[in-house]
Amino acid sequence: MRSWRACAAASCRGPTPTGKGWTELNHNGVVGPSGPKLLSARFGRTDGHRLAVYEKEGGYQALRRVLGGMQPAEVQAVVKESGLRGRGGAGFPTGTKWGFVPQAAEQVYFFVNADESEPGTFKDRFLLDYDPHQTIEGTIISCFAVRASLGFIYIRGEFGWLIDRVQKAVDECYAAGYLGKNILGSGYNLDLIVHKGAGAYICGEETGLINSVEGRKGQPSIKPPFPAVSGFLKKPTIVNNVESVASVPWIIMNGAAAYRAFGTEKSPGTKLFSVSGPVKRPGVYEIPLGMPFRTFFNDVLGGMADGEELKAVIVGGSSVPVLPADEIMNCNLDYESLGSAGTMLGSGGMIIIPKRCDMVELIQVLMHFYWDESCGQCTPCREGTGWLHRLVKKLRRGEGTPEDLERIEHVCSGMAGLTICPLSDAAVMPMRSFLAKFRGEFEALIQDQTPVAAESRWPRGEQE
Amino acid sequence: MTKPMQELPMDGTPGFALSPGALARIDALAARYPTKASALMPCLWVIMDELGWVPPGGVDLMVEKLDVTHARVNEVLTFYTMFRDTPQAKHTLQVCHNISCHIMGARPLIRHLEERLGVKLGGRTADGQFQIEGAECLGACGMGPCLQLGTHLYENVTPAKADALLESLRRGVVPRADTDREGVD
């Protein structure tokens, strides 16, 4: 396997030559060694959310450049050339998505998806908390690029304190002339609404999010038509993740080539990873894509916390396949490497699982989540998530049979790819991978036939 | 001391009233969104913020102000977990029990709170003061286990920290949340 240094010298072409190559962040405001700070320059600071601070450090210069003479098509071209891929999980190229908006459209809407609800993922909250103006500037530029006159930032309802903070930043922008009529004298008009969700994971899916803002249940719609053609109120609508739009000002100021200098050819740029579990330094980190997991784990996270041993890692949020420790150690953190290892980069929500954890218990926690969050409109998802949850519970009650493991496979095959949105797949991917990679733990429960203590079966006091 | 739960009005219609400020806010939202119906969620939040739940009278108000049907309001009200159509305890503690918090000790924390309050998860104390609920991820995965109280998020919650929180709430003081940062505003 290539070392990180070799990677930096070859295809990754990053990180910055000085420092260790990453930005270390945590909630106590400690910013660690110098590294690429395309997104995280103001993380960990107590003043970075203020407009005056953001402006002093170069904020809104990208917007001035865009409105000072660029055409929407030029902005789209720069972002397309940068190779920026959607950071919400799917990884679709952002500039290409913008290009799907029909040229003749009179009314276009733009949504920033801050419904960050994927378990293990908490990066967007850092972006909006420590540096809301970066996202807002990216939003205004993105709206201009697709010729939208109304934008929304959809923030999950649980982030109550964050919604107040972003609203204040938006208010500052109106007062400073970055939002509203005739922005910076350019003739461009844009309104931006901060919209508060109310607790539904599925609203993170773009059509679910759009339906939610239309004042409906957040149930996803069938595609096509894609939102870029027919979305909010049946008008062309672009939905982008917070991290995607927050990357845009840097790309405009520094150019597509400079952005491509970070990361790999197919995964350019930097990415925020949010790390949870018993490692020495959990938190949010900005690293160039392509860094070997082994380097990230040992040097950035500091390895496991005292007394813990690494068992497995869910690398991109709870919906991606789990990898045992020996397999993840051979991966690089980019879309292609993780894809060929049988998992996905996803949202970058990395969950570190220690040896002490019972994998059947963990998959029960996850199956309960997907069952709870299924919107209920597709039968395979509504019934399948509940069925999987019940099967796992049955195993843990000591009542499982070998046929139950076949049944899990059978139920999964009746769910994958057969529903309107990917929530069903999001349940199937961890379920299948937990069973494939840790089958021995499932079989041991069947052989043992001893119920796991009732109180440890489920933390909610739910009726078994 | 709030009234015992059984004495709270379960039908909000007869006594339903919003402050003039809240009504003005609803009108402003209805005018700001591209369609009146699209302002439904923020308008429900106005009622939630003022009353802590949406009584039947609030549903009627939405129908009147936003030109939507009762069915539409009720389906939205019941689909989203944060909207409530029944009165709530004075303090609802929501403990995340999803995977990251689970690994870091959500279950012992929940058990501790259940013992301290004498209620099971999902239950409410007899005096109507406290309610504990499970939450499916609060976005503080690296700082788990965590719990939320309204807009206050508490991170790295140990049983001792939970005890201090309960004690403070009993004295009528909501402790500073981990998401409040010194000198930020």
Side-chain angles (χ1 to χ4, degrees):
Chain A
M1 199 196 79
R2 292 182 304 175
S3 73
W4 163 235
R5 293 296 167 202
C7 177
S11 60
C12 298
R13 286 164 286 153
T16 49
T18 56
K20 293 184 187 173
W22 62 82
T23 307
E24 181 183 326
L25 317 154
N26 69 26
H27 206 59
N28 299 320
V30 178
V31 178
S34 62
K37 291 184 181 176
L38 281 55
L39 295 165
S40 59
R42 279 163 291 277
F43 278 19
R45 285 170 45 175
T46 55
D47 62 353
H49 62 289
R50 295 177 189 280
L51 178 60
V53 172
Y54 184 67
E55 284 176 325
K56 195 177 168 192
E57 298 178 8
Y60 291 102
Q61 290 303 317
L63 180 66
R64 289 178 188 280
R65 180 175 293 184
V66 166
L67 295 184
M70 289 178 80
Q71 294 300 310
E74 287 177 66
V75 180
Q76 281 192 25
V78 174
V79 172
K80 199 171 175 180
E81 175 60 26
S82 75
L84 174 67
R85 296 172 67 165
R87 300 296 196 222
F92 192 81
T94 303
T96 306
K97 193 178 196 177
W98 291 357
F100 293 153
V101 173
Q103 285 297 314
E106 286 180 9
Q107 173 74 63
V108 180
Y109 294 105
F110 190 92
F111 286 74
V112 178
N113 185 348
D115 190 66
E116 183 171 54
S117 309
E118 173 85 353
T121 311
F122 53 104
K123 64 185 178 68
D124 295 341
R125 131 189 186 167
F126 270 59
L127 277 166
L128 290 173
D129 196 3
Y130 286 115
D131 200 353
H133 282 289
Q134 183 173 219
T135 300
I136 293 169
E137 184 181 10
T139 304
I140 301 169
I141 295 170
S142 304
C143 285
F144 176 79
V146 300
R147 294 174 289 109
S149 55
L150 179 62
F152 292 87
I153 301 182
Y154 187 107
I155 305 179
R156 66 181 300 201
E158 289 88 344
F159 286 164
W161 86 97
L162 193 56
I163 291 162
D164 296 342
R165 168 151 303 186
V166 175
Q167 184 63 59
K168 277 182 191 166
V170 167
D171 293 344
E172 282 183 304
C173 283
Y174 271 104
Y178 296 131
L179 282 169
K181 300 269 182 233
N182 191 22
I183 297 171
L184 299 174
S186 66
Y188 178 57
N189 306 324
L190 176 68
D191 275 312
L192 189 58
I193 295 176
V194 179
H195 186 94
K196 182 179 183 180
Y201 169 73
I202 195 57
C203 291
E205 198 278 339
E206 61 180 356
T207 57
L209 185 148
I210 288 168
N211 281 330
S212 179
V213 184
E214 285 185 357
R216 303 172 195 277
K217 294 191 278 187
Q219 292 183 314
S221 310
I222 210 158
K223 294 189 274 196
F226 288 91
V229 177
S230 177
F232 184 61
L233 303 176
K234 301 205 183 319
K235 297 286 194 291
T237 304
I238 292 292
V239 183
N240 280 159
N241 174 258
V242 172
E243 191 183 344
S244 310
V245 295
S247 303
V248 169
W250 196 95
I251 292 169
I252 294 294
M253 286 309 289
N254 297 278
Y259 190 72
R260 280 189 168 276
F262 297 100
T264 68
E265 192 178 336
K266 288 183 179 167
S267 300
T270 62
K271 172 90 187 81
L272 295 179
F273 283 88
S274 57
V275 185
S276 59
V279 285
K280 285 208 176 97
R281 294 191 287 272
V284 179
Y285 296 89
E286 180 172 8
I287 59 169
L289 285 165
M291 180 183 273
F293 174 81
R294 187 185 296 272
T295 307
F296 184 65
F297 179 74
N298 290 328
D299 298 354
V300 182
L301 305 180
M304 298 299 281
D306 293 341
E308 301 274 17
E309 279 182 73
L310 181 65
K311 183 176 191 177
V313 176
I314 301 176
V315 75
S318 70
S319 61
V320 313
V322 65
L323 288 184
D326 56 340
E327 292 185 30
I328 186 75
M329 279 297 175
N330 293 320
C331 292
N332 291 344
L333 296 171
D334 57 53
Y335 293 97
E336 312 89 77
S337 172
L338 292 168
S340 54
T343 186
M344 294 158 71
L345 182 74
S347 62
M350 191 181 286
I351 303 162
I352 305 289
I353 300 172
K355 210 140 218 166
R356 65 177 154 84
C357 279
D358 171 350
M359 298 304 273
V360 189
E361 180 177 302
L362 291 189
I363 199 66
Q364 186 186 347
V365 170
L366 288 183
M367 287 307 106
H368 182 278
F369 168 71
Y370 289 107
W371 170 54
D372 195 64
E373 297 294 342
S374 172
C375 82
Q377 66 175 332
C378 304
T379 308
C381 179
R382 183 186 64 242
E383 302 301 321
T385 49
W387 199 349
L388 291 176
H389 181 235
R390 290 195 300 277
L391 282 167
V392 176
K393 273 204 305 188
K394 185 184 171 195
L395 296 178
R396 301 198 74 230
R397 278 201 308 266
E399 297 167 7
T401 64
E403 290 74 37
D404 286 328
L405 299 188
E406 289 171 32
R407 196 164 288 123
I408 286 175
E409 281 294 353
H410 180 71
V411 174
C412 285
S413 61
M415 295 169 69
L418 297 173
T419 50
I420 288 174
C421 88
L423 191 139
S424 180
D425 303 77
V428 165
M429 284 191 286
M431 183 69 245
R432 274 185 166 154
S433 64
F434 270 64
L435 185 55
K437 305 289 185 183
F438 299 94
R439 196 176 181 94
E441 293 190 33
F442 290 78
E443 288 172 343
L445 278 177
I446 293 168
Q447 280 167 6
D448 195 18
Q449 294 285 301
T450 307
V452 177
E455 64 169 17
S456 72
R457 273 210 296 268
W458 188 241
R460 296 184 74 169
E462 173 193 296
Q463 295 290 318
E464 292 282 344
Chain B
M1 172 94 183
T2 54
K3 290 186 208 171
M5 293 312 298
Q6 59 270 28
E7 291 179 26
L8 286 169
M10 294 308 290
D11 176 359
T13 309
F16 176 75
L18 287 181
S19 65
L23 288 168
R25 180 99 187 100
I26 286 171
D27 288 335
L29 285 163
R32 177 143 203 239
Y33 274 66
T35 63
K36 283 186 183 180
S38 59
L40 177 54
M41 283 179 70
C43 290
L44 285 173
W45 270 119
V46 173
I47 301 174
M48 285 287 298
D49 289 344
E50 185 141 311
L51 305 176
W53 66 298
V54 181
V59 176
D60 294 340
L61 184 73
M62 294 293 97
V63 171
E64 178 195 325
K65 294 272 187 189
L66 304 180
D67 290 340
V68 287
T69 62
H70 278 87
R72 169 79 82 89
V73 181
N74 281 317
E75 73 177 29
V76 167
L77 190 57
T78 52
F79 182 81
Y80 298 92
T81 57
M82 295 180 78
F83 290 144
R84 307 297 173 113
D85 58 2
T86 53
Q88 299 298 299
K90 188 173 179 190
H91 305 296
T92 300
L93 302 170
Q94 294 189 299
V95 187
C96 175
H97 57 50
N98 212 303
I99 185 163
S100 301
C101 286
H102 184 89
I103 291 170
M104 299 309 285
R107 186 170 48 192
L109 175 64
I110 289 169
R111 210 176 296 140
H112 181 82
L113 283 167
E114 286 178 335
E115 282 168 12
R116 279 284 184 275
L117 294 173
V119 292
K120 282 287 184 191
L121 202 63
R124 193 180 309 179
T125 55
D127 61 4
Q129 286 285 301
F130 294 101
Q131 185 166 330
I132 43 174
E133 296 181 343
E136 296 286 7
C137 194
L138 295 172
C141 315
M143 290 73 80
C146 61
L147 72 81
Q148 187 149 278
L149 177 74
T151 57
H152 300 268
L153 181 65
Y154 301 93
E155 301 168 341
N156 300 309
V157 183
T158 58
K161 191 170 174 178
D163 284 345
L165 173 67
L166 292 178
E167 195 192 321
S168 183
L169 291 175
R170 285 196 174 105
R171 284 188 280 110
V173 177
V174 178
R176 181 192 176 91
D178 290 295
T179 44
D180 295 335
R181 295 199 304 272
E182 193 124 28
V184 287
D185 287 307

